[in-house]
Amino acid sequence: MTAVPGGADGREKKKESCWFCLKSPNVEKHLVISVGASMYLALAKGALRNDHVMIVPTNHIKCQQFLEPNQQEDVEKFKRALRTLNRTNKKSTTVFFERSLSTSHMQIHAVPVARYSVNDIKDVFYTFADKYNLEVQEIPTGEDWKEMVPPGSDYFIAEFENEEKLVFLCSQKVRFPLQFGREVLASEELLNMPRRVSWKECKISKEQEEHDVKTVQKTFH
């Protein structure tokens, strides 16, 4: 029987070729820092800094909207560990961000930033939101941000040290900048790395990646 394009066979092939599925032959396992029950922690490719990491599902899941409660709890465990690590060892606050637009496998980025207040960091996100005419919803600590995102809608979410969040809905009216999270954090107001907005400009050798992974592992465990 001939497979229907985009059907089950097509989805399986996409999973097999995915760069982030842990069982895929294409995954760069030397970037993996730690593996949990349903999530793993990996060094970001083309990282903003050498401790810029990602929380990624071991299996093929597009974004947080599709996580089961136990999978979301695995995400939160990694977040708590990273917050504690960066606050204690690096005197830094942790900014998390995820973009569901133009991706087929969830990646939550975690980037340490010098101890600015949450309000200072949020102000920079608002400045860039105004620059691109983006709609922002502020989600207080403890509220379920997923209820604010219509089913099937693409979004960008930033989360801060106190678990407050900013949610940006991606509409067809305004083109959402794919490097938005990196652009905000690399800005002069925060990390002051304007030349590192594009991950492709930040590639390093496999040997350096392996070194950075071992450095993070020493502090993470």
Side-chain angles (χ1 to χ4, degrees):
M1 183 172 67
T2 304
V4 178
D9 288 352
R11 289 193 294 271
E12 286 304 314
K13 287 182 179 178
K14 183 174 284 188
K15 292 178 185 178
E16 290 174 4
S17 62
C18 179
W19 290 99
F20 299 102
C21 288
L22 205 52
K23 293 182 180 179
S24 168
N26 290 328
V27 70
E28 297 190 64
K29 291 189 176 180
H30 71 281
L31 297 175
V32 175
I33 296 164
S34 178
V35 180
S38 63
M39 300 288 149
Y40 68 94
L41 193 70
L43 185 73
K45 194 79 173 175
L48 279 166
R49 41 184 290 170
N50 61 7
D51 50 5
H52 169 184
V53 299
M54 302 186 303
I55 303 168
V56 187
T58 55
N59 294 324
H60 200 70
I61 301 173
K62 175 177 169 59
C63 62
Q64 288 188 82
Q65 285 283 71
F66 298 102
L67 294 180
E68 298 293 338
N70 64 305
Q71 295 170 323
Q72 187 67 55
E73 178 53 30
D74 286 343
V75 169
E76 300 308 318
K77 286 178 182 177
F78 271 122
K79 285 182 183 176
R80 289 193 291 268
L82 289 167
R83 284 192 185 99
T84 300
L85 168 67
N86 293 330
R87 185 171 57 244
T88 304
N89 290 12
K90 303 172 187 177
K91 308 303 180 187
S92 295
T93 187
T94 308
V95 178
F96 300 96
F97 67 88
E98 181 209 2
R99 166 176 52 80
S100 71
L101 181 69
S102 297
T103 186
S104 62
H105 196 121
M106 185 192 95
Q107 305 145 53
I108 301 175
H109 292 256
V111 183
V113 179
R115 290 305 298 272
Y116 291 92
S117 73
V118 168
N119 286 336
D120 287 341
I121 298 174
K122 282 199 298 188
D123 284 346
V124 182
F125 272 93
Y126 275 115
T127 297
F128 279 83
D130 289 341
K131 174 182 175 180
Y132 291 111
N133 296 313
L134 304 176
E135 295 182 14
V136 189
Q137 296 185 53
E138 189 158 340
I139 313 297
T141 303
E143 289 196 14
D144 186 1
W145 66 271
K146 294 181 182 180
E147 294 180 356
M148 311 294 179
V149 180
S153 297
D154 281 314
Y155 63 86
F156 174 96
I157 181 169
E159 181 175 340
F160 309 104
E161 186 78 14
N162 61 359
E163 299 184 40
E164 290 182 3
K165 302 170 184 69
L166 296 179
V167 174
F168 303 73
L169 296 180
C170 305
S171 69
Q172 294 180 343
K173 298 178 183 178
V174 178
R175 182 177 177 274
F176 194 91
L178 295 183
Q179 301 295 337
F180 183 72
R182 292 181 65 107
E183 185 175 358
V184 172
L185 294 180
S187 66
E188 293 181 0
E189 294 88 340
L190 296 176
L191 295 178
N192 194 20
M193 301 174 174
R195 295 184 179 180
R196 300 184 69 83
V197 171
S198 171
W199 71 271
K200 294 180 181 179
E201 300 299 321
C202 304
K203 290 182 181 179
I204 55 178
S205 67
K206 182 178 179 180
E207 291 73 21
Q208 185 61 51
E209 289 174 337
E210 290 172 336
H211 175 270
D212 290 346
V213 165
K214 288 179 181 177
T215 300
V216 176
Q217 284 176 328
K218 288 177 182 177
T219 57
F220 187 75
H221 291 291

